[in-house]
Amino acid sequence: MKVSDVVAAALQRHGISLFFGQSNPISFSISAEEAGMRQIFYRTENAGGVMADGYSRITRKISVLVAQNGPAATLAVAPMSEALTASLPMLVLVQEVPASLRDRNAFQELDHFALFAGVSKWVRRLDDPARADDYVDLAITVANSGRPGPVVLLLPRDVLDMEAKPARFARSRSSGTFPLDRTRPDPESVRAAVDALATARSPLIVAGGGVHLSGAAQELQRLAEIGQIPVVTTNMGKGGIGEDHPLSLGVAANVTGENGPAHFHIPLIAGADVVLFVGSRTNENGTDGWTLTSPEATYIHIDVDSLEVGRNYEAIRLVGDALLALQDVSDGLARADLSQRTAGAASLLTTISEGRRRHKEVMAPIFRSDQTPILPQRMLAELDALLTADDIVVADASYASIWVSSYLTAKRTGQRFLLPRGMAGLGWGMPLGMGAKLASPASRVVAIVGDGGFAHVWSEIETAVRENIPVVVILLNNGLLGYQRHAENLFYGKTSSAIAFAPVDHAAVARAAGALGVRIEDPADLRGALEAALAADTLTVLDVIVDADAYAPSKLWDGNAAKMNLK
């Protein structure tokens, strides 16, 4: 048995059945396929890494990305940076030059330790043929424990082909899922948090993406219901509570502009006297530049990473797994005197309901608009009417993410909306959806992308067709970089020359690669095209021609439409 065989067998022991690769390291790929693992053959490492990301978000299992040394390895850096920031485990197996050629300017030799230092938790090289099992286990343990993240195991070509030496201590444990080791917060801190929530005049929960990664959505809803506490989410936390739940305020984050889902809830959010963050990095976008909540509030923060607790808001520190921490707080709150909470419950629910009513009233004519080019909001309203609670929606970065977080509805607690808000790289929408579909083949998966981002990953249409990954790609084609144009016009009164594109028939591009492609210019054609795409058994690209002047509900844009849409 070769070292490559041991590596493949170790991955299978951890429940890993597929990997994202392009053949290299060759010995590993052959061994893995002979052992029954499926290789998802990507066209670029950047997209392959994003597919791995999407797969991990849905399965809550570590994903595996493999790449050749040198330039191929460099293309894994971008998706690894997203995984690191968004707390997603990823095992990156990178081919290394043979040990005998090291530091001799061998073909595509690169210092991979330096390359991956800023985008991984751990980088090691396998040099001892007796330690393959050990190093795979170490890598997966590091990736799945604490705050999850990407790790790198470097595999020299010559070592992979060596005969494996049996280890003295056999390994049989499977550790491929995360969180690997769930921990509870300090009981004294839990009691302090319970006291603060029970006696609060107007508490608020802000749920981040960590709620989904911990599988804690149902417990989040339980806490909200016990304490009659409204819940607002970040973009990545969307779906942490069903948005039709009476206590849901929807997504706030950076979408609280006048047409945003939480716009009419701003007084409730800003007036909170106790704020509980759950699974959130309290980053700029997730807090609208740290302006959503009051400096006078008392803060409580649940997070598995002690560094994140108190980073931006000094807080009662509940360091631990989100699921277990929420259970502890819920249990404590259920035993507490909740007279303060119950007394104001009816008034709270009325306030939330009224905010929703006002939002629907404002958006109704926009959602029904028959204008051409099509308003993105009209397309999203048509899609929202067709989606079910079991569907998965993903988005590219920039406006695509904001459209999804603002105008699609989480129809149950725990529904998944995958928004790449860790680093927010353009081009990640379609491959993120491909990874999600591989993770949950029975689910319908819809990817919302812009034409700026989609051009980064055209080549992966062929991958989706060849690998039979039927995702619905809805391309909002406005012929330019919309967010960039709006920001440059607002801040500089003009734009650079790097804004508008030459016309592209994206539907024809899709058809050329063997997928289905449909161009939509009339809003009356949206419903039928969406229904057909959702029922299709291959990747479908809907090239929707949308209004270039349309903008998502960022508070920054309010009152500035004329400046933003200067020609």
Side-chain angles (χ1 to χ4, degrees):
M1 179 178 281
K2 297 192 302 184
V3 168
S4 59
D5 298 321
V6 175
V7 173
L11 294 179
Q12 288 185 305
R13 172 166 53 83
H14 290 289
I16 297 165
S17 59
L18 61 75
F19 62 99
F20 299 85
Q22 202 178 83
S23 197
N24 289 298
I26 299 168
S27 292
F28 165 77
S29 294
I30 291 173
S31 292
E33 290 185 335
E34 288 179 346
M37 295 179 69
R38 179 183 177 187
Q39 178 172 198
I40 305 300
F41 172 21
Y42 56 69
R43 298 298 293 266
T44 71
E45 288 74 13
N46 178 30
V50 180
M51 293 177 209
D53 174 325
Y55 182 83
S56 189
R57 289 188 201 225
I58 295 300
T59 61
R60 298 220 320 268
K61 294 180 179 179
I62 190 170
S63 59
V64 177
L65 173 69
V66 303
Q68 188 173 346
N69 49 297
T74 68
L75 294 177
V77 168
M80 289 175 65
S81 71
E82 172 70 20
L84 183 69
T85 314
S87 305
L88 294 159
M90 181 186 296
L91 172 56
V92 184
L93 302 177
V94 177
Q95 180 172 276
E96 277 267 84
V97 300
S100 61
L101 302 183
R102 204 173 290 156
D103 296 323
R104 298 186 66 188
N105 291 331
F107 179 63
Q108 294 186 334
E109 182 179 12
L110 187 67
D111 183 350
H112 294 120
F113 288 94
L115 174 68
F116 295 120
V119 292
S120 65
K121 294 178 68 177
W122 180 95
V123 184
R124 296 291 188 278
R125 179 190 289 132
L126 175 60
D127 278 334
D128 185 347
R131 301 213 52 206
D133 253 346
D134 294 351
Y135 273 96
V136 170
D137 279 26
L138 281 169
I140 290 175
T141 299
V142 172
N144 281 343
S145 62
R147 178 177 174 179
V151 296
V152 182
L153 184 58
L154 306 174
L155 303 173
R157 289 202 314 268
D158 54 344
V159 175
L160 284 174
D161 287 327
M162 291 178 182
E163 282 296 311
K165 298 177 182 178
R168 183 178 180 188
F169 299 99
R171 292 180 174 270
S172 60
R173 181 182 173 85
S174 177
S175 303
T177 59
F178 67 97
L180 179 56
D181 300 307
R182 293 186 185 267
T183 57
R184 304 196 102 95
D186 172 61
E188 285 295 324
S189 297
V190 171
R191 281 191 284 272
V194 167
D195 288 345
L197 291 169
T199 58
R201 170 185 50 79
S202 181
L204 173 73
I205 298 172
V206 181
V211 168
H212 291 297
L213 298 182
S214 180
Q218 294 299 328
E219 196 60 40
L220 172 67
Q221 179 176 314
R222 176 175 171 244
L223 173 61
E225 290 172 349
I226 290 171
Q228 288 297 291
I229 306 171
V231 180
V232 69
T233 75
T234 66
N235 291 294
M236 289 203 294
K238 184 179 177 70
I241 188 168
E243 289 173 345
D244 57 356
H245 191 284
L247 290 166
S248 171
L249 307 183
V251 178
N254 58 340
V255 293
T256 57
E258 57 192 14
N259 290 343
H263 177 73
F264 292 106
H265 301 312
I266 288 177
L268 195 57
I269 296 168
D273 60 334
V274 175
V275 178
L276 168 61
F277 285 107
V278 188
S280 169
R281 295 179 294 127
T282 63
N283 61 320
E284 182 177 9
N285 281 350
T287 60
D288 204 13
W290 307 283
T291 65
L292 285 177
T293 54
S294 169
E296 306 305 317
T298 295
Y299 288 88
I300 306 164
H301 197 162
I302 296 172
D303 202 276
V304 72
D305 186 350
S306 62
L307 182 61
E308 294 302 337
V309 177
R311 178 190 287 272
N312 292 309
Y313 300 86
E314 189 171 276
I316 298 171
R317 300 174 59 84
L318 300 186
V319 179
D321 173 66
L323 174 62
L324 299 187
L326 285 170
Q327 286 176 352
D328 289 351
V329 176
S330 295
D331 291 347
L333 204 59
R335 296 188 296 267
D337 177 1
L338 294 177
S339 55
Q340 176 84 354
R341 302 299 325 121
T342 55
S347 174
L348 170 66
L349 295 179
T350 299
T351 299
I352 295 173
S353 179
E354 175 62 11
R356 289 181 182 176
R357 185 198 64 77
R358 293 175 68 190
H359 175 65
K360 288 178 181 178
E361 186 177 78
V362 168
M363 294 305 301
I366 299 172
F367 286 152
R368 293 193 301 264
S369 172
D370 289 328
Q371 80 158 62
T372 56
I374 298 168
L375 284 180
Q377 298 95 318
R378 168 67 188 272
M379 188 284 297
L380 289 156
E382 296 283 355
L383 176 62
D384 199 44
L386 296 173
L387 291 177
T388 72
D390 295 322
D391 295 328
I392 298 170
V393 180
V394 308
D396 209 331
S398 197
Y399 269 157
S401 286
I402 302 176
W403 292 126
V404 166
S405 64
S406 299
Y407 300 129
L408 294 182
T409 307
K411 298 181 178 180
R412 65 174 172 86
T413 293
Q415 185 173 4
R416 296 310 310 274
F417 293 81
L418 307 189
L419 309 179
R421 304 309 298 171
M423 292 299 288
L426 271 181
W428 290 346
M430 183 174 72
L432 197 65
M434 292 166 66
K437 183 66 176 180
L438 288 163
S440 185
S443 300
R444 299 189 302 184
V445 177
V446 178
I448 311 294
V449 305
D451 49 338
F454 189 57
H456 288 238
V457 291
W458 282 341
S459 58
E460 303 301 339
I461 298 174
E462 183 275 334
T463 303
V465 172
R466 171 172 35 82
E467 297 284 355
N468 189 26
I469 309 173
V471 173
V472 178
V473 179
I474 300 175
L475 191 153
L476 302 176
N477 182 356
N478 58 10
L480 44 74
L481 295 173
Y483 194 102
Q484 190 70 23
R485 173 191 174 222
H486 287 149
E488 289 185 21
N489 272 333
L490 180 59
F491 293 119
Y492 297 98
K494 58 184 177 180
T495 72
S496 78
S497 60
I499 294 294
F501 307 120
V504 175
D505 187 341
H506 299 91
V509 171
R511 293 193 296 269
L516 298 178
V518 179
R519 183 178 173 94
I520 304 170
E521 299 183 54
D522 187 336
D525 297 331
L526 283 167
R527 180 64 64 97
L530 287 166
E531 289 174 338
L534 288 166
D537 59 0
T538 189
L539 183 132
T540 303
V541 174
L542 300 182
D543 188 6
V544 184
I545 309 306
V546 299
D547 183 2
D549 290 346
Y551 55 91
S554 168
K555 187 168 62 178
L556 187 63
W557 302 152
D558 286 354
N560 289 310
K563 293 179 183 177
M564 291 156 51
N565 287 317
L566 292 170
K567 304 299 183 184

